[in-house]
């Protein structure tokens, strides 16, 4: 018996050596050529796979001109090129209208759906319709708590409460005592969770300020009025990169010394972080949210793969400061961070 086991081990060693040599050959020649070919295809806007040309639709709660969602869309489009996907994108910041766009995608009999659940009550029924129609759904960005209950395969994004808690901790580290949390979209559960999370861990006082995010002059005027009325406010936290600059301008006009911080990252935020105009930003990697959602739907259709094990796949939060800004600026300028 001992000799038999020795023989098996010897045979195994020979096979391993042959296989190792074969793999080494592939890595140095065929593997490299395949990788180079995939890179060339991606650069030329060609798919890297030969799977069927499925149609995936992404429907988000973005308003017009929101740079955050431009980055999400860019990531999704890049993955769609690689995966030979016909990609459709639509958006509306009103819950009922967003639900109608999802219904339109269902009527087109798309092969996969990616949706955000900023206003989950408005989206519940239509997501159930997609599931009933046999269309796999992945949720992104907003609605991690509702995603599984609504029948989605998984959720990709950051836990908004955890992200808010990270902000509260960071404000404490910076010695802040009174903060303003600026909510630019009423009814968005994710925004409420961010401010509630910050309030939970912040050792000082945090107040919510509701503004009309579709009217940037109004956003600036509302923040300015609050800073003029209460000189003890030493931190302003905005919930989206486009609103950070409005807060910076409001601070100047109000002649306030408050630090301005923000959720999300773009080229403007990276520049202001580097200059010290902003204190910190909370990055949830929107490019990754879009890219991963499309890629994961493709993997599900092709190979029945899924990530998360029944829990959200987290892309954040990551606290970005002045020391990180220089490295990330290049990526924000090309629209991938």
């Amino acid at each position: 018996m001992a000799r038999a086991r020795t023989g098996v081990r010897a045979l195994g060693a020979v096979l391993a050596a042959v296989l190792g040599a074969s793999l080494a050959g592939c890595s140095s020649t065929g593997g490299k050529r395949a990788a180079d070919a995939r890179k060339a295809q991606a650069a030329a806007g060609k798919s890297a796979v030969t799977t069927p040309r499925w149609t995936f639709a992404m429907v988000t709660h973005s308003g017009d001109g929101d740079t955050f969602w431009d980055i999400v869309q860019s990531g999704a489009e890049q993955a769609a090129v690689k995966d030979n996907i016909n990609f459709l994108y639509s958006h509306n910041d009103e819950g009922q209208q967003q639900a109608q766009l999802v219904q339109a995608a269902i009527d087109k009999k798309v092969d996969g759906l990616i949706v955000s659940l900023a206003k989950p009550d408005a989206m519940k029924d239509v997501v159930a319709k997609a599931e009933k129609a046999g269309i796999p759904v992945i949720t992104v960005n907003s609605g991690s708590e509702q995603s599984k209950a609504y029948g989605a395969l998984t959720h990709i994004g950051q836990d908004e409460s955890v992200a808010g808690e990270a902000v509260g901790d960071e404000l404490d580290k910076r010695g802040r005592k009174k903060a303003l949390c600026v909510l630019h979209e009423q009814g968005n559960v994710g925004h409420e969770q961010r401010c509630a999370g910050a309030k939970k861990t912040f050792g000082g006082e945090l107040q919510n300020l509701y503004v009309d995010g579709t009217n940037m002059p109004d956003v600036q005027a509302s923040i300015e009025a609050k800073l003029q009325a209460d000189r003890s406010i030493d931190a302003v936290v905005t919930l989206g990169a486009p609103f950070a600059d409005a807060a910076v301008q409001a601070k100047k006009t109000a002649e306030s010394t408050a630090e301005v911080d923000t959720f999300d990252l773009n080229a403007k935020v990276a520049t202001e972080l580097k200059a010290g105009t902003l204190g910190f930003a909370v990055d949830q990697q929107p490019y990754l949210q879009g890219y991963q959602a499309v890629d994961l739907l493709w993997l599900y259709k092709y190979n029945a793969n899924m990530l998360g094990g029944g829990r959200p796949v987290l892309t954040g939060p990551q606290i970005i400061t002045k020391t990180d800004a220089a490295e990330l600026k290049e990526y924000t300028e090309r629209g991938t961070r």
Side-chain angles (χ1 to χ4, degrees):
M1 291 296 291
R3 282 195 294 272
R5 285 196 295 270
T6 302
V8 170
R9 286 197 296 269
L11 178 60
V14 171
L15 289 174
V18 172
L19 181 59
S22 174
L23 289 174
C26 289
S27 297
S28 61
T29 56
K32 185 177 186 302
R33 284 197 296 268
D36 289 344
R38 285 193 294 271
K39 290 178 182 178
Q41 286 174 327
K46 296 179 182 178
S47 66
V49 298
T50 58
T51 46
R53 190 163 174 77
W54 293 307
T55 296
F56 294 167
M58 174 181 275
V59 184
T60 75
H61 66 276
S62 169
D64 293 331
D66 191 327
T67 57
F68 176 91
W69 287 103
D70 291 343
I71 301 171
V72 175
Q73 184 180 349
S74 176
E77 289 172 344
Q78 286 291 314
V81 169
K82 178 181 72 70
D83 294 337
N84 192 33
I85 298 300
N86 177 34
F87 179 70
L88 309 175
Y89 181 79
S90 59
H91 64 93
N92 198 295
D93 57 1
E94 294 294 332
Q96 291 302 324
Q97 282 71 19
Q98 186 191 3
Q100 289 173 12
L101 291 172
V102 174
Q103 182 62 58
I106 294 171
D107 294 341
K108 290 177 182 176
K109 298 181 179 179
V110 298
D111 300 294
L113 263 171
I114 302 162
V115 299
S116 60
L117 301 178
K119 296 169 183 174
D121 291 343
M123 297 291 290
K124 182 177 182 179
D125 290 344
V126 77
V127 172
K129 288 180 182 179
E131 184 185 13
K132 187 176 181 181
I135 300 173
V137 178
I138 288 178
T139 60
V140 295
N141 182 256
S142 302
S144 61
E145 295 182 353
Q146 294 82 13
S147 178
K148 186 175 181 179
Y150 285 13
L153 297 173
T154 194
H155 178 84
I156 300 173
Q158 72 178 3
D159 184 302
E160 303 292 16
S161 295
V162 172
E165 290 171 12
V167 168
D169 288 337
E170 186 67 21
L171 291 173
D172 280 340
K173 289 179 184 177
R174 293 166 175 267
R176 303 299 157 180
K177 302 300 181 185
K178 192 169 187 179
L180 195 64
C181 196
V182 183
L183 299 94
H184 61 267
E185 185 181 337
Q186 292 195 39
N188 186 322
V189 293
H191 289 184
E192 296 287 348
Q193 289 168 347
R194 289 178 182 182
C195 292
K199 189 172 185 177
K200 179 180 177 181
T201 57
F202 182 40
E205 179 185 346
L206 185 140
Q207 299 178 356
N208 287 355
L209 176 66
Y210 293 89
V211 298
D212 180 4
T214 64
N215 185 340
M216 202 60 77
D218 177 72
V219 173
Q220 182 175 331
S222 297
I223 298 172
E224 180 184 331
K226 191 69 176 178
L227 291 176
Q228 287 177 334
D230 189 348
R231 294 292 177 181
S232 64
I233 295 173
D234 58 9
V236 177
V237 180
T238 62
L239 302 187
F243 304 95
D245 192 55
V248 169
Q249 298 305 317
K251 169 187 171 178
K252 290 179 181 177
T253 308
E255 297 182 346
S256 169
T257 59
E259 176 181 279
V260 178
D261 307 303
T262 189
F263 280 79
D264 302 332
L265 187 67
N266 61 16
K268 178 74 170 178
V269 168
T271 298
E272 293 186 334
L273 283 170
K274 187 177 179 181
T277 311
L278 294 177
F280 66 88
V282 184
D283 185 22
Q284 59 174 305
Q285 303 185 97
Y287 182 89
L288 184 59
Q289 290 179 15
Y291 190 100
Q292 189 64 65
V294 169
D295 207 33
L296 191 50
L297 265 184
W298 174 79
L299 282 166
Y300 179 78
K301 294 285 292 183
Y302 171 64
N303 205 44
N305 291 123
M306 189 45 54
L307 292 175
R311 296 190 177 188
V313 179
L314 300 183
T315 62
Q318 180 183 7
I319 299 294
I320 305 296
T321 64
K322 183 176 182 177
T323 57
D324 310 302
E327 179 183 359
L328 295 178
K329 192 172 185 297
E330 173 189 350
Y331 308 140
T332 61
E333 288 173 347
R334 75 183 183 191
T336 57
R337 285 298 292 268

